[in-house]
Amino acid sequence: MSSPVPRWSALVTVGPYALLAILIGVTVASKRSQGESPLIDLALCALAAAWMLWVFTLHPAWRERPPVMAVFFTVLIVIMSVLVIRNPWFGFFTPAGYVYAFRVLRWPWEVAGVAAVALVSGTAQAYGIDKTTWIGLVAYAAVVVANIVPMCGFAWFARRSALQNDERERALQEVREANRRLAATLAENAALHEQLLAQAREAGVHDERQRMAREIHDTLAQGLTGIVSQLRAAAHTGEDPAGWRRHIEAATTLARESLAEARRSVHALRPEPLQSARLSEAVAGVAERWSALHEIPVQVTTTGTARPLLPEAEVTLLRTAQEALANVAKHARATRVGVTLSYMDHEVALDVRDDGDGFDPARLGDDAAGALRADHGGFGLVAMRQRIEGLSGTLQIESEPGIGTGISARVPAERAGVCA
């Protein structure tokens, strides 16, 4: 499909014919007044009109072909020159030549075309100068130069202005394209932002569910397990009122503590033992209450310089101690337990060891945590590992049948932090 032909103004398409018609009238009147025949001049004018009509007006597509327009302009200049030589008033037809030179010729041929038209115009203006003397020739040359220099200068400035306009248009086009790409990028970023917000909300919901699951396990589940154990023990006391009352009181105390911890978990508060005591004291208190409840001696040892930690680290280590002791009570049938809290330069470690039944990790795979989870069948090890690894820590379980089980949780000091 051919490219559309640009629209041309009436100055280009109609103006030359109007000028030529006026000059034809002047020529006829002048020749008749002088008693001369205007046929040759009219033939030249008809030739110029026919040439413009055929090459330029009737074939607008040819205007975009530089070689065709160069031939068109050259022939028109020759006809114009003959007309000016015969009749100087045809110098008034030179504006049509300037129009064609600026519109149909490409740079740098545009300057040559303008100079040719200026030469014809200067010749018409110097028609009455005697060119047989050197003074006349100098005057003629001065007239011609006076036409060529300003018109060529105007052509140069017009070219420069056109280039500047083209540069501005390209710059504007680049700005429009940049704005379009920016708008597309902003729309894409908005969509990604919405997607990230949705993912963040989903992750927040998932994390909150995981937190609540861990807290329910560490509070309600452990408390209910202890309550059930105490009620069973009370049912087997027989005729011992003191023993029955002791187990019922222990169950009641566990129920109250579990309810309080559940409320604190819902509000994401620190566990009650950490509210008024350091981690070492809270671990010792938990171990002491567990020992009194299950009648299993516990030795709590703190090594290194005890110091405050970040709340997340203290809660994680305290919950790990609670879960490890709960597992001992449920599965180990231990006679004694050791809890060690170690403050070191680069990490804080919690070790819980018992002399219970133990198990063989190899029989269920190399993953000791998976073995203990399968052996005990609970959520505790999962929650314990999630808490520790959430602080970039490590959890290790060692066990051997008949020897007991050891759980070691370590939290890097740089994540735990040291408070002033």
Side-chain angles (χ1 to χ4, degrees), residues 64-284:
E64 304 303 319
R65 300 178 185 178
V68 175
M69 288 296 100
V71 173
F72 163 74
F73 184 81
T74 301
V75 172
L76 185 63
I77 286 296
V78 171
I79 298 173
M80 191 181 300
S81 300
V82 175
L83 286 171
V84 166
I85 291 173
R86 288 182 58 83
N87 303 288
W89 55 79
F90 276 98
F92 290 103
F93 188 55
T94 55
Y98 286 124
V99 170
Y100 285 130
F102 283 116
R103 297 306 298 269
V104 304
L105 298 180
R106 304 294 174 88
W107 190 269
W109 300 107
E110 179 182 316
V111 177
V114 169
V117 177
L119 175 62
V120 174
S121 178
T123 300
Q125 296 170 13
Y127 186 82
I129 297 177
D130 184 8
K131 302 177 183 64
T132 59
T133 64
W134 67 270
I135 297 177
L137 291 175
V138 170
Y140 170 70
V143 173
V144 171
V145 170
N147 280 270
I148 292 177
V149 171
M151 292 307 300
C152 289
F154 175 78
W156 183 82
F157 280 108
R159 171 66 177 176
R160 183 178 178 184
S161 177
L163 291 177
Q164 291 176 347
N165 289 335
D166 291 341
E167 291 179 359
R168 281 194 292 268
E169 183 61 29
R170 283 195 297 271
L172 288 175
Q173 186 62 31
E174 291 175 358
V175 170
R176 294 190 194 100
E177 181 62 20
N179 289 336
R180 186 192 64 78
R181 291 197 298 267
L182 178 60
T185 301
L186 290 175
E188 182 179 356
N189 288 342
L192 290 175
H193 182 65
E194 290 296 328
Q195 183 178 356
L196 289 175
L197 286 178
Q199 292 176 351
R201 285 192 292 268
E202 293 176 0
V205 171
H206 177 73
D207 291 344
E208 181 62 16
R209 288 175 177 173
Q210 290 291 327
R211 184 189 73 82
M212 290 302 299
R214 290 192 297 266
E215 293 297 328
I216 289 173
H217 176 273
D218 293 342
T219 56
L220 290 179
Q222 290 183 5
L224 291 174
T225 300
I227 292 171
V228 170
S229 298
Q230 293 300 319
L231 292 177
R232 286 177 178 174
H236 290 84
T237 55
E239 300 297 330
D240 183 9
W244 180 86
R245 193 163 36 252
R246 179 168 54 82
H247 289 300
I248 293 299
E249 290 177 355
T252 302
T253 300
L254 282 174
R256 288 179 182 147
E257 291 178 353
S258 298
L259 180 60
E261 285 298 322
R263 288 172 176 169
R264 303 183 68 83
S265 298
V266 169
H267 295 288
L269 299 177
R270 284 164 62 85
E272 191 277 332
L274 291 174
Q275 283 294 105
S276 58
R278 290 189 174 186
L279 175 62
S280 57
E281 297 169 349
V283 170

Side-chain angles (χ1 to χ4, degrees), residues 299-381:
Q299 181 180 356
V300 180
T301 304
T302 300
T303 63
T305 303
R307 57 189 183 272
L309 305 175
L310 288 177
E312 295 85 353
E314 291 187 341
V315 171
T316 295
L317 293 175
L318 179 64
R319 294 304 190 197
T320 300
Q322 290 176 324
E323 176 60 23
L325 291 173
N327 284 336
V328 172
K330 288 186 289 184
H331 308 289
R333 290 185 291 185
T335 60
R336 56 182 177 166
V337 178
V339 178
T340 303
L341 184 64
S342 303
Y343 290 89
M344 293 171 282
D345 291 337
H346 301 293
E347 62 184 2
V348 180
L350 174 72
D351 297 283
V352 180
R353 297 186 176 274
D354 66 77
D355 62 351
D357 294 341
F359 65 96
D360 182 9
R363 67 183 176 88
L364 292 176
D366 296 331
D367 184 2
L372 187 58
R373 181 170 67 252
D375 186 44
H376 291 176
F379 176 76
L381 254 296

